[in-house]
């Protein structure tokens, strides 16, 4: 496919979901992705601390605590690795989505350029969510562990020598202020490989599948439906304002509905080997529910909704305008 026209559009009625496969369009996607990562990272840090951290009463208290103890730089911990990998991630994910829906159209209709229906979009979205975990899981794990470095270590079975019932020690619950374990993303990767092996980098991947497979579906389909709803009858394409609003709402819907699985994923990935607390997904779910109640699975939902709107609105608007620009060449 020629780079100058390397764009593939998925049409669902009036709505267009753009997937970039050419070098020029891919550059637009990646530049916008990098900007979204930078803008959204402070709220991502707040979300991660709320979900996997201790001692935060609410979102505002979390924001103020981070600022008072770590200044503005605390909100940008763990940024470098997601920022460095977003180009590869977007290229693979959106390229896979494009090729998948093209293959589905060729299989079902005999023509890869045939407009895809809602079922086609659903299948392509779910498969893309599954594939994205292969790249995204290690990135998320490193990001989360760097974001959580200043969190206190809760040692529930710490043995305090010289105390207790004459046996010389007794288990007590204490809180130890942990020192930074990782000097940066590369040190985090190497330390994880040394202590946990390759599987350690994919800790929480199962929960990420539970988040991203339905999450991608609830990202593209609401966007297509909302674009159709916001666009007046007879219009050839959605208005930029309709695209912006539909994209933002789709992002918020996707992230809010994914919050329970996101909580489990964050807790598993923050659970380092030397302070391992959860045995797996089911143990994390049951333990979190028993100790903190059902509301624990909705921690960070408000932050996800707020963060998801501008990031997704900007992303979809950029995609649509890029598509219109390259088609005019």
């Amino acid at each position: 496919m020629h780079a100058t026209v390397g764009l593939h559009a998925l049409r669902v009625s009036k709505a267009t979901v753009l997937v970039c496969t050419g070098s020029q369009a891919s550059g637009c996607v990646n530049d916008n992705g990098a900007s979204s990562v930078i803008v959204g990272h402070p709220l991502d840090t707040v979300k991660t601390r709320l979900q996997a951290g201790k001692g935060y009463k609410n979102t505002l208290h979390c924001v103020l605590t981070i600022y008072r103890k770590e200044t503005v730089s605390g909100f940008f911990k763990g940024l470098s690795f997601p920022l460095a990998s977003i180009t590869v991630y977007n290229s693979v994910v959106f390229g896979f989505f494009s090729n998948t829906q093209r293959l589905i159209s060729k299989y079902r209709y005999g023509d890869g350029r045939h407009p895809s229906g809602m079922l086609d979009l659903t299948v392509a979205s779910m498969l893309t969510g599954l594939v994205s975990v292969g790249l995204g899981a290690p990135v998320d794990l490193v990001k989360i562990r760097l974001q959580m470095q200043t969190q206190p270590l809760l040692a529930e079975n710490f043995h305090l020598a010289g105390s207790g019932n004459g046996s010389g020690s007794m288990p007590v619950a204490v809180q130890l202020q942990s020192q930074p374990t990782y000097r940066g993303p590369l040190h985090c990767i190497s330390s994880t490989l040394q202590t946990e092996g390759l599987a350690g980098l994919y800790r929480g991947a199962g929960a990420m599948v539970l988040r991203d497979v339905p999450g991608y579906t609830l990202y593209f389909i609401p966007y297509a439906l909302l674009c159709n709803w916001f666009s007046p009858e007879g219009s050839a394409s959605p208005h930029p304002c309709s695209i912006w609003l539909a994209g933002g709402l789709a992002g918020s819907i996707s992230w809010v509905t994914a919050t329970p699985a996101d909580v489990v994923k964050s807790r598993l990935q923050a659970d380092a080997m030397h302070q391992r607390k959860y045995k797996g997904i089911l143990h994390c779910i049951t333990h979190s529910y028993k100790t903190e109640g059902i509301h624990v699975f909705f921690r960070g939902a408000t932050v996800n909704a707020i963060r998801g709107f501008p990031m997704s609105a900007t992303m979809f608007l950029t995609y649509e305008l890029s598509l219109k620009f390259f088609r005019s060449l």
Side-chain angles (χ1 to χ4, degrees), residues 198-214:
L198 182 62
L201 289 176
Y202 284 89
R203 181 166 172 80
M208 196 169 183
V209 170
L210 296 178
R211 184 195 73 174
D212 286 359
V213 170

Side-chain angles (χ1 to χ4, degrees), residues 17-18 32 36 90 93-94 97 121 125 128 211-226 246-255 257 308-317 319:
V17 179
L18 172 67
N32 187 63
S36 297
N90 274 350
V93 168
F94 287 110
F97 181 79
L121 176 57
S125 299
T128 301
R211 184 195 73 174
D212 286 359
V213 170
Y216 270 81
T217 305
L218 291 172
Y219 188 57
F220 288 114
I221 290 181
Y223 169 72
L225 295 175
L226 288 169
L249 290 174
S252 295
I253 291 169
S254 176
W255 271 108
T257 53
F309 190 98
M311 291 179 65
S312 300
T314 304
M315 185 75 75
F316 273 112
L317 183 59
Y319 290 166

Side-chain angles (χ1 to χ4, degrees), residues 165-184:
N165 51 14
S167 61
S169 66
M170 67 173 292
V172 294
V174 297
Q175 208 174 50
L176 303 175
Q177 187 63 40
S178 59
Q179 296 297 318
T181 305
Y182 310 113
R183 295 189 295 270

Side-chain angles (χ1 to χ4, degrees), residues 68 95 222:
R68 288 169 182 167

Side-chain angles (χ1 to χ4, degrees), residues 6-273:
L7 294 168
H8 186 71
L10 172 62
R11 288 208 170 271
V12 181
S13 189
K14 296 175 197 167
T16 304
V17 179
L18 172 67
V19 182
C20 299
T21 56
S23 59
Q24 288 185 341
S26 181
C28 291
V29 174
N30 295 328
D31 290 343
N32 187 63
S35 300
S36 297
V37 169
I38 295 172
V39 172
H41 196 80
L43 285 176
D44 184 75
T45 299
V46 174
K47 182 263 298 182
T48 300
R49 297 280 182 93
L50 286 171
Q51 292 178 341
K54 297 285 184 180
Y56 300 115
K57 299 176 183 178
N58 50 49
T59 302
L60 180 60
H61 181 245
C62 181
V63 172
L64 294 176
T65 300
I66 294 173
Y67 179 74
R68 288 169 182 167
K69 294 184 177 181
E70 306 167 54
T71 69
V72 175
S73 63
F75 294 100
F76 292 93
K77 286 186 174 180
L79 171 63
S80 57
F81 196 33
L83 188 61
S85 60
I86 190 65
T87 297
V88 175
Y89 182 85
N90 274 350
S91 297
V92 171
V93 168
F94 287 110
F96 179 85
F97 181 79
S98 172
N99 290 325
T100 300
Q101 69 95 23
R102 190 159 50 240
L103 286 173
I104 292 173
S105 293
K106 186 174 182 180
Y107 175 78
R108 292 193 66 192
Y109 312 110
D111 184 4
R113 297 183 180 182
H114 190 280
S116 298
M118 202 61 74
L119 178 61
D120 307 329
L121 176 57
T122 301
V123 173
S125 299
M126 293 178 68
L127 290 174
T128 301
L130 185 63
V131 169
S132 71
V133 174
L135 290 174
V139 175
D140 262 21
L141 182 134
V142 172
K143 172 183 69 68
I144 285 175
R145 291 194 176 180
L146 291 174
Q147 287 173 324
M148 296 294 293
Q149 281 210 103
T150 59
Q151 280 298 114
L153 170 61
L154 188 63
E156 295 178 348
N157 295 308
F158 182 78
H159 290 269
L160 185 62
S163 63
N165 51 14
S167 61
S169 66
M170 67 173 292
V172 294
V174 297
Q175 208 174 50
L176 303 175
Q177 187 63 40
S178 59
Q179 296 297 318
T181 305
Y182 310 113
R183 295 189 295 270
L186 294 180
H187 183 240
C188 180
I189 294 172
S190 62
S191 296
T192 302
L193 288 173
Q194 289 174 8
T195 58
E196 305 174 53
L198 182 62
L201 289 176
Y202 284 89
R203 181 166 172 80
M208 196 169 183
V209 170
L210 296 178
R211 184 195 73 174
D212 286 359
V213 170
Y216 270 81
T217 305
L218 291 172
Y219 188 57
F220 288 114
I221 290 181
Y223 169 72
L225 295 175
L226 288 169
C227 257
N228 291 335
W229 189 34
F230 294 150
S231 300
E233 289 293 333
S235 61
S237 61
H239 190 274
C241 291
S242 299
I243 297 169
W244 184 86
L245 183 57
L249 290 174
S252 295
I253 291 169
S254 176
W255 271 108
V256 169
T257 53
T259 297
D262 193 42
V263 170
V264 176
K265 181 198 73 73
S266 295
R267 292 190 165 206
L268 287 171
Q269 291 182 325
D271 204 24
M273 176 63 79

